[in-house]
Amino acid sequence: MKIKNIVIGGAEAVVIAGPCSVESREQLWQTAASIKSNGAVMMRGGAFKPRTSPYDFQGLGLEALELLREAGDSFDLPVVTEIMSEEQVELVADYADMLQVGARNMQNFALLRKLSKTDKPILLKRGASATVKEWLSAAEYLLEGGNEAVVLCERGIKTFDNSLRNTLDLAAVALVKELSHLPVIVDPSHACGKRSLVSILSKAALAVGADGVIVEVHPQPEIALSDKEQQLTLEDFARMMRDLCEPLPRLVKGERELALCY
Ligand code: PEP
Ligand code: MN
């Protein structure tokens, strides 16, 4: 799948990075410069935010879209941002290179039908309580309606275990790679909700066959307006990119040493 000059689902895994929410020009520029120089190929950033509480930061809306477009062009990073309703489709499509359907909207069939008629690639997140079959059926709405540029994204599901924000379902990633021709990427940030685990889960995602990862990065996560616990600092991101290029640690020591390389 091609988004401008970026290929998702090809020989090389891709890293998409950027803040949970676009908060200011300075925040976005600092992030864009840093992720670009460390090897990210696309940028994410929320303009319209799906928040559990109506009192939480809802995103900068149009201002964020304008900033994303400008930063994306300045740093040569195609941008992906979430679209929450049918009414937003034309507006967001004017600014973004890829449209994200969030977990909460995976089965918003009216939205999917409308997006199936756009010429923009779609990043379709798995619903937090969606089965693999429901997720693929949601993708089918886009394909059937005429938009075949769909990338799937596993972002963690709700399980009995509340130790982390969600449970990252890496088996589903391997399964979907078997069942479908669509590229699959992983969002470890929303899956675990914990900064210290994002890098190793990214590595695990690539080891299991994901076509890339999308991670949240913020110059000062401690003052972020959303998801402060899971956003990587610029330094964390640089370290993660170095770690991703190293082979995994040896798993078994014996007569033959088993090292996993993806
Ligand atoms: C996001 O990527 O900003 C987001 C809200 O993710 P999700 O829909 O997976 O919760
Ligand atoms: Mn977030």
Side-chain angles (χ1 to χ4, degrees):
M1 180 141 334
K2 268 194 116 178
I3 297 147
K4 291 201 160 164
N5 56 342
I6 305 302
V7 176
I8 305 187
E12 286 172 19
V14 297
V15 177
I16 305 171
C20 177
S21 304
V22 175
E23 298 173 5
S24 68
R25 170 177 287 266
E26 199 190 346
Q27 170 233 24
L28 196 61
W29 259 247
Q30 253 185 291
T31 309
S34 184
I35 62 170
K36 174 79 184 185
S37 68
N38 283 290
V41 296
M42 274 183 71
M43 181 158 68
R44 62 150 289 145
F48 297 100
K49 298 298 300 174
R51 303 307 300 278
T52 302
S53 164
Y55 306 112
D56 288 339
F57 177 61
Q58 302 287 308
L60 295 180
L62 177 59
E63 188 187 342
L65 294 176
E66 289 169 349
L67 289 170
L68 274 173
R69 184 69 273 144
E70 202 186 323
D73 290 342
S74 304
F75 292 93
D76 190 24
L77 288 166
V79 293
V80 56
T81 194
E82 179 162 354
I83 190 152
M84 293 211 300
S85 68
E86 287 164 76
E87 298 75 59
Q88 288 170 355
V89 172
E90 284 85 9
L91 176 70
V92 181
D94 272 350
Y95 290 89
D97 301 299
M98 187 182 210
L99 310 178
Q100 174 173 323
V101 176
R104 293 155 192 80
N105 261 320
M106 187 202 83
Q107 283 188 317
N108 181 339
F109 299 116
L111 177 62
L112 295 174
R113 281 208 189 283
K114 180 132 192 200
L115 289 172
S116 75
K117 303 299 175 200
T118 68
D119 55 4
K120 288 284 158 101
I122 310 294
L123 182 61
L124 179 64
K125 290 202 155 189
R126 180 184 183 182
S129 302
T131 64
V132 165
K133 194 169 175 194
E134 288 163 343
W135 186 21
L136 292 178
S137 297
E140 206 63 39
Y141 268 85
L142 296 165
L143 271 61
E144 187 264 346
N147 191 344
E148 297 191 355
V150 179
V151 175
L152 299 167
C153 179
E154 156 64 27
R155 48 74 75 202
I157 51 171
K158 289 193 191 296
T159 67
F160 64 87
D161 190 350
N162 59 4
S163 328
L164 295 168
R165 186 170 180 180
N166 289 289
T167 297
L168 178 56
D169 189 1
L170 287 179
V173 175
L175 177 63
V176 168
K177 291 291 293 177
E178 251 185 44
L179 294 176
S180 165
H181 68 286
L182 296 173
V184 187
I185 67 169
V186 168
D187 174 348
S189 305
H190 291 91
C192 72
K194 192 171 160 62
R195 183 160 35 252
S196 62
L197 299 183
V198 168
S199 175
I200 197 68
L201 292 180
S202 294
K203 198 155 193 164
L206 299 189
V208 92
D211 295 297
V213 292
I214 178 165
V215 297
E216 288 188 342
V217 180
H218 192 290
Q220 286 175 282
E222 67 284 2
I223 57 162
L225 299 179
S226 55
D227 288 348
K228 26 161 90 77
E229 303 297 325
Q230 70 196 35
Q231 301 205 60
L232 299 177
T233 63
L234 304 180
E235 297 73 31
D236 291 334
F237 180 71
R239 196 172 320 116
M240 181 187 102
M241 293 301 279
R242 284 197 298 275
D243 289 348
L244 281 183
C245 298
E246 296 288 321
L248 283 175
R250 291 193 175 118
L251 298 180
V252 178
K253 250 185 179 299
E255 211 163 287
R256 289 177 60 194
E257 289 178 349
L258 175 63
L260 264 188
C261 275
Y262 42 80

